[in-house]
Amino acid sequence: MSKLLIVGSVAFDAIETPFGKTDKILGGAAPFIALSASNFDISSAIVSVVGEDFPLEYFDLFKERNIDISAIEIVKGGKTFFWSGKYHNDLNSRDTLETQLNVLADFKPAVPDHYKDADIVMLGNLNPLVQLSVLDQLTTKPKLAILDTMNFWMEDAFIEDLRKVIARVDVITINDEEARQLSGEYSLVKAARAIEKMGPKYIVIKKGEHGALLFHNEQIFFAPALPLEEVFDPTGAGDTFAGGFSGYLTKTNDISFENMKKAIIHASNLASFSVEKFGTERMKNLNREEVQKRLQQFKELTQFEIELS
Amino acid sequence: MSKLLIVGSVAFDAIETPFGKTDKILGGAAPFIALSASNFDISSAIVSVVGEDFPLEYFDLFKERNIDISAIEIVKGGKTFFWSGKYHNDLNSRDTLETQLNVLADFKPAVPDHYKDADIVMLGNLNPLVQLSVLDQLTTKPKLAILDTMNFWMEDAFIEDLRKVIARVDVITINDEEARQLSGEYSLVKAARAIEKMGPKYIVIKKGEHGALLFHNEQIFFAPALPLEEVFDPTGAGDTFAGGFSGYLTKTNDISFENMKKAIIHASNLASFSVEKFGTERMKNLNREEVQKRLQQFKELTQFEIELS
């Protein structure tokens, strides 16, 4: 069975949307990535850190989905990373109300021996130095290293570290505004080309409700987001996308552009579920039939026949 | 040969974008619609009005593309409708600098006898009373009546007239913000459903650089905009889209949902050319090979193979 190594934050999130608010619930990049990737028949492990306040039931959730948690460090007396945010009415923007780094501040990742030869490595959003450390610990060059990051790490204090990670990965997934910030180009076509020069051979630009673009050399593929009646909570949609993308590629063990297209569709499909409930709620109870049914909807949404002459 | 009847403004536009500015050039909904539709082998006619200041060379342009201009009224001593606008740096929004209705203020459309049995009627953006008058003059119910409109007509002074037109057409094409305004729903899925209740069986929601959605009953189809290196001038892109959509349906004489999907792709394809130069400049010199080549790009951009189990 192919192996997917996931690094990313494990967090408590407190979320407020126009539809309601939550107390501290399970959040962070790694849970969303891992739960999403667990929809494929693969071996996966999370490298992360939590405090002693982290509920054991969450570990059970990971174990049930066959996610290896032996490399989630539990810091005695420590507190788990906490983020709290409030979405605006259109759900397209949000304010961060509070961030407590807690145990994440001094996190030194330790890749377990049995994942140092992982087939695919998914570097979830985190300090670029942590992402670099994970790459440094691998004993075998992975088939594919995928980086997800965000605008926070593009500020002066971190950009040099971020550039080092970018130079070492095969795929980068970022959103449209971040692609513009990183490249200094407004046109996403030009932005992708500029980012490709920084290292990654594949650029995935996530546009939220407007879909996602995959760039590779002169090729471009686009997947829409499924039009939904209601988006309830966008938190973790990008991570769920990254999990679907990396999970599908791990399962199929095929990193051709043609197969990456399929991975993008699977990623968009899984992300469309994630936003339907708070946090990881929807992803915990996702079944195979629901996933297949919505894949069919993706086909109907996008496929057409045109005769070219 | 199937007949397409087009009503819409014919105008002088003065445009300023981050890339440059123009003096008065050919603009208005009808020229963009007609030039776009002329890429298909159909008969088409424009119903509109201009002033005596309108250059004859523009008429030649229409004639060369086989567009019937006998129903473009020339008002003696009158001045042609004039619009001037300035785009913001992201090209997604613009300020209107000046609007002179001129001869458009008292326009009474006269559908020529040989187009009163048109197969398809494309009601370009205009005062809803003018659009209604065109529908009233038809002697045969058209196979399809398509309405394009904008937020201006959704204000209190015009909304009742607009609702009357909406109730009488088969297809409406509007942009996402207008769909939200008209329906009072933020979710585009819900907005489309609400607008369907107002009359049209097919709802096309244009999202500019983010593509277009076609809704019909429970079916949804999506076409992306082609990712471009540079958008030069978005003026008329929506009209060009409407022209491609109505032109293709006229040519094929098939108004099934499956064929409308193709029409949406052709529409998006033609709109992608329109934004590459100022005004109608790009559309005037478009050739068949360019169009076909870009259709192939649309296929590559969107088509994928996924096995469902």
Side-chain angles (χ1 to χ4, degrees):
Chain A
M1 213 181 270
S2 297
K3 288 191 276 190
L4 173 64
L5 176 63
I6 298 162
V7 61
S9 56
V10 173
F12 287 130
D13 283 351
I15 302 163
E16 191 172 340
T17 79
F19 308 108
K21 59 187 292 185
T22 69
D23 286 328
K24 288 182 175 183
I25 58 173
L26 177 61
F32 282 106
I33 292 171
L35 286 173
S36 182
S38 74
N39 285 286
F40 305 97
D41 191 27
I42 59 171
S43 299
S44 69
I46 295 176
V47 174
S48 194
V49 64
V50 295
E52 236 183 321
D53 55 351
F54 194 73
L56 292 181
E57 60 179 275
Y58 290 153
F59 283 132
D60 292 338
L61 168 68
F62 295 136
K63 286 185 215 159
E64 280 163 24
R65 308 282 297 206
N66 205 26
I67 299 159
D68 186 330
I69 55 165
S70 60
I72 302 184
E73 183 193 354
I74 304 172
V75 177
K76 286 214 173 130
K79 288 179 71 185
T80 301
F81 171 53
F82 172 69
W83 175 81
S84 139
K86 181 178 175 172
Y87 285 88
H88 301 160
N89 275 338
D90 65 3
L91 290 171
N92 276 328
S93 53
R94 68 186 186 191
D95 295 322
T96 290
L97 301 178
E98 198 178 346
T99 306
Q100 298 175 8
L101 275 184
N102 296 334
V103 295
L104 205 60
D106 301 311
F107 176 41
K108 300 274 176 289
V111 177
D113 284 342
H114 57 298
Y115 269 86
K116 286 183 175 168
D117 62 348
D119 299 278
I120 293 190
V121 177
M122 179 68 234
L123 304 171
N125 177 41
L126 258 187
N127 188 316
L129 291 177
V130 172
Q131 296 172 324
L132 279 171
S133 166
V134 166
L135 291 181
D136 285 338
Q137 292 173 54
L138 304 175
T139 53
T140 312
K141 186 176 159 52
K143 199 155 182 174
L144 207 67
I146 307 167
L147 169 69
D148 188 56
T149 189
M150 67 180 290
N151 50 3
F152 183 80
W153 311 108
M154 295 171 193
E155 301 301 324
D156 286 350
F158 304 104
I159 185 68
E160 283 315 308
D161 296 332
L162 180 60
R163 284 185 182 278
K164 282 180 201 158
V165 196
I166 292 175
R168 287 177 60 182
V169 297
D170 306 292
V171 185
I172 183 171
T173 77
I174 45 177
N175 77 28
D176 41 1
E177 283 318 307
E178 290 156 357
R180 287 176 172 134
Q181 185 175 344
L182 184 61
S183 66
E185 294 282 358
Y186 184 80
S187 152
L188 295 180
V189 176
K190 289 187 175 177
R193 200 169 296 156
I195 296 169
E196 205 167 340
K197 291 209 178 91
M198 301 176 191
K201 293 182 290 292
Y202 301 88
I203 321 293
V204 178
I205 299 183
K206 300 173 288 183
K207 305 201 295 172
E209 60 168 322
H210 299 304
L213 287 156
L214 167 66
F215 294 88
H216 174 59
N217 294 332
E218 295 301 308
Q219 295 174 286
I220 312 181
F221 179 66
F222 175 83
L226 200 71
L228 296 171
E229 279 197 40
E230 211 72 87
V231 171
F232 191 79
D233 172 21
T235 311
D239 302 312
T240 303
F241 181 96
F245 182 74
S246 55
Y248 180 79
L249 292 175
T250 305
K251 161 72 180 164
T252 52
N253 206 19
D254 170 1
I255 58 165
S256 67
F257 186 76
E258 278 307 308
N259 201 51
M260 280 204 194
K261 288 182 181 181
K262 301 182 195 182
I264 292 280
I265 295 290
H266 281 281
S268 302
N269 191 43
L270 289 166
S272 79
F273 288 103
S274 177
V275 302
E276 290 185 331
K277 292 192 175 176
F278 271 129
T280 59
E281 206 54 39
R282 188 70 176 94
M283 299 309 289
K284 282 195 290 193
N285 301 306
L286 199 54
N287 69 47
R288 191 181 159 75
E289 289 84 69
E290 292 173 306
V291 173
Q292 290 289 316
K293 189 177 167 197
R294 205 167 274 191
L295 276 177
Q296 179 61 35
Q297 287 181 269
F298 262 93
K299 277 185 107 158
E300 288 164 10
L301 181 67
T302 56
Q303 303 303 286
F304 59 87
E305 295 289 337
I306 279 201
E307 310 73 28
L308 296 173
S309 54
Chain B
M1 213 181 270
S2 299
K3 288 192 274 190
L4 173 64
L5 176 63
I6 298 162
V7 60
S9 57
V10 173
F12 287 129
D13 284 350
I15 302 163
E16 190 171 343
T17 79
F19 309 108
K21 60 188 292 184
T22 69
D23 286 329
K24 289 182 174 183
I25 58 172
L26 177 62
F32 282 107
I33 293 171
L35 287 173
S36 181
S38 74
N39 285 285
F40 305 98
D41 190 27
I42 59 171
S43 298
S44 69
I46 295 176
V47 174
S48 194
V49 64
V50 295
E52 236 184 320
D53 55 352
F54 194 74
L56 292 180
E57 61 178 274
Y58 290 152
F59 284 132
D60 292 337
L61 169 67
F62 295 136
K63 286 186 216 158
E64 280 163 23
R65 309 282 297 206
N66 205 25
I67 300 159
D68 186 329
I69 54 166
S70 59
I72 302 183
E73 183 192 354
I74 305 172
V75 177
K76 286 213 172 130
K79 288 180 72 185
T80 301
F81 171 54
F82 172 68
W83 175 81
S84 136
K86 182 177 175 173
Y87 286 88
H88 300 161
N89 275 336
D90 64 3
L91 290 172
N92 276 327
S93 52
R94 68 185 186 191
D95 295 322
T96 290
L97 301 178
E98 197 178 348
T99 306
Q100 297 175 9
L101 276 184
N102 297 333
V103 295
L104 205 59
D106 302 309
F107 176 42
K108 302 276 177 287
V111 177
D113 284 342
H114 57 298
Y115 268 86
K116 286 183 176 169
D117 62 347
D119 299 277
I120 294 189
V121 177
M122 179 68 233
L123 303 171
N125 176 43
L126 256 187
N127 189 316
L129 291 177
V130 173
Q131 296 172 323
L132 280 171
S133 166
V134 166
L135 291 181
D136 286 338
Q137 293 174 53
L138 303 176
T139 52
T140 311
K141 187 177 158 54
K143 200 156 182 171
L144 207 67
I146 307 167
L147 169 68
D148 188 55
T149 188
M150 66 181 291
N151 51 4
F152 183 79
W153 310 109
M154 295 172 194
E155 301 301 327
D156 286 350
F158 305 104
I159 185 69
E160 284 315 309
D161 296 332
L162 179 60
R163 284 184 184 279
K164 283 179 201 157
V165 196
I166 291 174
R168 287 178 60 181
V169 296
D170 306 293
V171 185
I172 184 173
T173 76
I174 46 178
N175 77 28
D176 42 0
E177 284 319 308
E178 291 157 356
R180 287 176 172 133
Q181 185 175 344
L182 184 62
S183 66
E185 295 282 357
Y186 185 79
S187 151
L188 295 180
V189 176
K190 289 186 176 180
R193 200 169 297 155
I195 296 169
E196 206 167 339
K197 292 210 177 91
M198 301 175 192
K201 294 182 290 292
Y202 300 87
I203 321 293
V204 178
I205 299 183
K206 300 172 289 183
K207 305 200 298 171
E209 62 169 322
H210 299 304
L213 287 156
L214 167 66
F215 294 88
H216 174 59
N217 295 330
E218 294 302 306
Q219 295 173 287
I220 312 179
F221 179 67
F222 174 83
L226 200 72
L228 296 171
E229 277 196 42
E230 210 73 85
V231 172
F232 190 79
D233 172 20
T235 310
D239 302 311
T240 303
F241 181 96
F245 183 73
S246 55
Y248 180 78
L249 292 176
T250 304
K251 161 74 181 163
T252 53
N253 206 18
D254 169 0
I255 59 165
S256 67
F257 186 76
E258 279 307 308
N259 201 50
M260 281 205 194
K261 288 183 183 182
K262 300 183 196 179
I264 292 280
I265 295 292
H266 281 281
S268 302
N269 191 42
L270 289 166
S272 78
F273 288 103
S274 177
V275 302
E276 291 184 331
K277 291 194 176 173
F278 270 128
T280 59
E281 205 54 37
R282 188 69 176 93
M283 300 309 290
K284 283 196 286 193
N285 302 305
L286 200 54
N287 68 48
R288 190 181 161 75
E289 290 84 68
E290 291 172 307
V291 173
Q292 291 288 315
K293 188 176 167 198
R294 206 168 272 191
L295 276 177
Q296 179 61 35
Q297 286 181 269
F298 263 92
K299 278 186 108 158
E300 288 165 10
L301 182 67
T302 57
Q303 303 301 288
F304 59 86
E305 295 289 335
I306 278 200
E307 310 73 28
L308 296 172
S309 54

